[in-house]
Amino acid sequence: MSVKFYKIKEGEFLRLVETQSITKFIAQESESSPLKFSLVGINPQQRVAYAVRHGRVDELRTWRLDNLALFLKKLGVFNWEVQFEQTEPPL
């Protein structure tokens, strides 16, 4: 069974967090902007993933990791996973 993936605005993401529809959080490093992270929330029971996009364009929103941590902390989220794009350190 595949996972459904949606790009949603920040307000909708907040609503899903408040209703506990999202229970797993991942900060995924951007391919094009190193050390900038997109936020993905997952509902494992429904097999649905939600990524936060910009309000006016259909591109994923990115944060520095410290700012993303503050955003999640304000939502009451204290556990999340961080995934880096590059697996090997640069030379």
PDB file of all heavy atoms in Angstrom, residues 7 28 30 33-34 36-37 39 42 44 60 80-81:
ATOM      1  N   LYS A   7       0.917  18.536  -0.332  1.00  0.00           N
ATOM      2  CA  LYS A   7       1.552  19.800   0.050  1.00  0.00           C
ATOM      3  C   LYS A   7       0.441  20.695   0.576  1.00  0.00           C
ATOM      4  O   LYS A   7      -0.541  20.934  -0.130  1.00  0.00           O
ATOM      5  CB  LYS A   7       2.219  20.466  -1.157  1.00  0.00           C
ATOM      6  CG  LYS A   7       3.393  19.708  -1.710  1.00  0.00           C
ATOM      7  CD  LYS A   7       3.948  20.468  -2.899  1.00  0.00           C
ATOM      8  CE  LYS A   7       4.996  19.679  -3.631  1.00  0.00           C
ATOM      9  NZ  LYS A   7       5.459  20.388  -4.838  1.00  0.00           N
ATOM     10  N   GLN A  28      13.348  17.420   6.651  1.00  0.00           N
ATOM     11  CA  GLN A  28      14.096  16.886   5.516  1.00  0.00           C
ATOM     12  C   GLN A  28      14.908  17.996   4.872  1.00  0.00           C
ATOM     13  O   GLN A  28      14.362  19.012   4.455  1.00  0.00           O
ATOM     14  CB  GLN A  28      13.132  16.288   4.482  1.00  0.00           C
ATOM     15  CG  GLN A  28      13.792  15.826   3.201  1.00  0.00           C
ATOM     16  CD  GLN A  28      14.726  14.661   3.409  1.00  0.00           C
ATOM     17  OE1 GLN A  28      14.356  13.665   4.016  1.00  0.00           O
ATOM     18  NE2 GLN A  28      15.948  14.781   2.927  1.00  0.00           N
ATOM     19  N   SER A  30      16.778  20.219   2.270  1.00  0.00           N
ATOM     20  CA  SER A  30      16.515  20.549   0.874  1.00  0.00           C
ATOM     21  C   SER A  30      17.696  20.147  -0.008  1.00  0.00           C
ATOM     22  O   SER A  30      18.849  20.328   0.374  1.00  0.00           O
ATOM     23  CB  SER A  30      16.279  22.053   0.757  1.00  0.00           C
ATOM     24  OG  SER A  30      16.278  22.458  -0.588  1.00  0.00           O
ATOM     25  N   SER A  33      19.048  23.735  -1.233  1.00  0.00           N
ATOM     26  CA  SER A  33      19.511  24.685  -0.208  1.00  0.00           C
ATOM     27  C   SER A  33      20.053  23.931   0.996  1.00  0.00           C
ATOM     28  O   SER A  33      19.298  23.596   1.909  1.00  0.00           O
ATOM     29  CB  SER A  33      18.358  25.595   0.236  1.00  0.00           C
ATOM     30  OG  SER A  33      17.858  26.322  -0.836  1.00  0.00           O
ATOM     31  N   PRO A  34      21.340  23.631   1.005  1.00  0.00           N
ATOM     32  CA  PRO A  34      21.911  22.905   2.141  1.00  0.00           C
ATOM     33  C   PRO A  34      21.641  23.618   3.464  1.00  0.00           C
ATOM     34  O   PRO A  34      21.629  24.849   3.526  1.00  0.00           O
ATOM     35  CB  PRO A  34      23.411  22.866   1.832  1.00  0.00           C
ATOM     36  CG  PRO A  34      23.495  23.043   0.355  1.00  0.00           C
ATOM     37  CD  PRO A  34      22.333  23.938  -0.011  1.00  0.00           C
ATOM     38  N   LYS A  36      18.906  23.907   4.965  1.00  0.00           N
ATOM     39  CA  LYS A  36      17.523  24.391   5.028  1.00  0.00           C
ATOM     40  C   LYS A  36      16.641  23.147   4.985  1.00  0.00           C
ATOM     41  O   LYS A  36      16.905  22.213   4.223  1.00  0.00           O
ATOM     42  CB  LYS A  36      17.180  25.301   3.849  1.00  0.00           C
ATOM     43  CG  LYS A  36      17.950  26.585   3.833  1.00  0.00           C
ATOM     44  CD  LYS A  36      17.313  27.580   4.767  1.00  0.00           C
ATOM     45  CE  LYS A  36      17.976  28.941   4.589  1.00  0.00           C
ATOM     46  NZ  LYS A  36      17.105  30.029   4.909  1.00  0.00           N
ATOM     47  N   PHE A  37      15.591  23.138   5.810  1.00  0.00           N
ATOM     48  CA  PHE A  37      14.807  21.926   5.996  1.00  0.00           C
ATOM     49  C   PHE A  37      13.329  22.152   5.724  1.00  0.00           C
ATOM     50  O   PHE A  37      12.761  23.171   6.129  1.00  0.00           O
ATOM     51  CB  PHE A  37      14.983  21.409   7.428  1.00  0.00           C
ATOM     52  CG  PHE A  37      16.376  20.945   7.707  1.00  0.00           C
ATOM     53  CD1 PHE A  37      17.368  21.856   8.039  1.00  0.00           C
ATOM     54  CD2 PHE A  37      16.710  19.610   7.616  1.00  0.00           C
ATOM     55  CE1 PHE A  37      18.663  21.440   8.286  1.00  0.00           C
ATOM     56  CE2 PHE A  37      18.001  19.186   7.859  1.00  0.00           C
ATOM     57  CZ  PHE A  37      18.989  20.095   8.191  1.00  0.00           C
ATOM     58  N   LEU A  39       9.425  20.655   6.301  1.00  0.00           N
ATOM     59  CA  LEU A  39       8.735  19.935   7.367  1.00  0.00           C
ATOM     60  C   LEU A  39       7.702  19.001   6.777  1.00  0.00           C
ATOM     61  O   LEU A  39       6.855  19.409   5.994  1.00  0.00           O
ATOM     62  CB  LEU A  39       8.059  20.933   8.317  1.00  0.00           C
ATOM     63  CG  LEU A  39       7.238  20.357   9.451  1.00  0.00           C
ATOM     64  CD1 LEU A  39       8.088  19.452  10.359  1.00  0.00           C
ATOM     65  CD2 LEU A  39       6.607  21.482  10.266  1.00  0.00           C
ATOM     66  N   ILE A  42       3.420  13.146   9.350  1.00  0.00           N
ATOM     67  CA  ILE A  42       2.905  11.860   8.885  1.00  0.00           C
ATOM     68  C   ILE A  42       1.798  11.362   9.802  1.00  0.00           C
ATOM     69  O   ILE A  42       1.905  11.445  11.027  1.00  0.00           O
ATOM     70  CB  ILE A  42       4.038  10.819   8.808  1.00  0.00           C
ATOM     71  CG1 ILE A  42       5.107  11.301   7.822  1.00  0.00           C
ATOM     72  CG2 ILE A  42       3.503   9.449   8.407  1.00  0.00           C
ATOM     73  CD1 ILE A  42       6.337  10.453   7.765  1.00  0.00           C
ATOM     74  N   PRO A  44       0.584   7.866  10.383  1.00  0.00           N
ATOM     75  CA  PRO A  44       0.919   6.477  10.036  1.00  0.00           C
ATOM     76  C   PRO A  44      -0.303   5.576   9.855  1.00  0.00           C
ATOM     77  O   PRO A  44      -0.293   4.688   9.005  1.00  0.00           O
ATOM     78  CB  PRO A  44       1.764   5.993  11.214  1.00  0.00           C
ATOM     79  CG  PRO A  44       2.161   7.203  11.970  1.00  0.00           C
ATOM     80  CD  PRO A  44       1.152   8.253  11.664  1.00  0.00           C
ATOM     81  N   LEU A  60       7.854  23.841  -1.572  1.00  0.00           N
ATOM     82  CA  LEU A  60       7.993  23.523  -0.159  1.00  0.00           C
ATOM     83  C   LEU A  60       8.650  24.667   0.591  1.00  0.00           C
ATOM     84  O   LEU A  60       9.600  25.278   0.110  1.00  0.00           O
ATOM     85  CB  LEU A  60       8.816  22.252   0.025  1.00  0.00           C
ATOM     86  CG  LEU A  60       8.186  20.969  -0.505  1.00  0.00           C
ATOM     87  CD1 LEU A  60       9.118  19.789  -0.254  1.00  0.00           C
ATOM     88  CD2 LEU A  60       6.836  20.721   0.112  1.00  0.00           C
ATOM     89  N   TRP A  80      11.169  14.854  16.875  1.00  0.00           N
ATOM     90  CA  TRP A  80      11.089  14.787  15.427  1.00  0.00           C
ATOM     91  C   TRP A  80      12.379  14.197  14.903  1.00  0.00           C
ATOM     92  O   TRP A  80      13.389  14.127  15.583  1.00  0.00           O
ATOM     93  CB  TRP A  80      10.791  16.143  14.804  1.00  0.00           C
ATOM     94  CG  TRP A  80      11.825  17.189  15.027  1.00  0.00           C
ATOM     95  CD1 TRP A  80      12.939  17.421  14.270  1.00  0.00           C
ATOM     96  CD2 TRP A  80      11.889  18.114  16.105  1.00  0.00           C
ATOM     97  NE1 TRP A  80      13.671  18.443  14.798  1.00  0.00           N
ATOM     98  CE2 TRP A  80      13.043  18.891  15.934  1.00  0.00           C
ATOM     99  CE3 TRP A  80      11.066  18.370  17.203  1.00  0.00           C
ATOM    100  CZ2 TRP A  80      13.400  19.891  16.817  1.00  0.00           C
ATOM    101  CZ3 TRP A  80      11.421  19.369  18.066  1.00  0.00           C
ATOM    102  CH2 TRP A  80      12.567  20.117  17.870  1.00  0.00           C
ATOM    103  N   GLU A  81      12.331  13.775  13.674  1.00  0.00           N
ATOM    104  CA  GLU A  81      13.476  13.147  13.011  1.00  0.00           C
ATOM    105  C   GLU A  81      14.086  14.153  12.046  1.00  0.00           C
ATOM    106  O   GLU A  81      13.364  14.928  11.423  1.00  0.00           O
ATOM    107  CB  GLU A  81      12.960  11.926  12.247  1.00  0.00           C
ATOM    108  CG  GLU A  81      14.000  11.097  11.578  1.00  0.00           C
ATOM    109  CD  GLU A  81      13.368   9.883  10.911  1.00  0.00           C
ATOM    110  OE1 GLU A  81      12.486   9.255  11.520  1.00  0.00           O
ATOM    111  OE2 GLU A  81      13.768   9.585   9.773  1.00  0.00           O
TER     112      GLU A  81
END
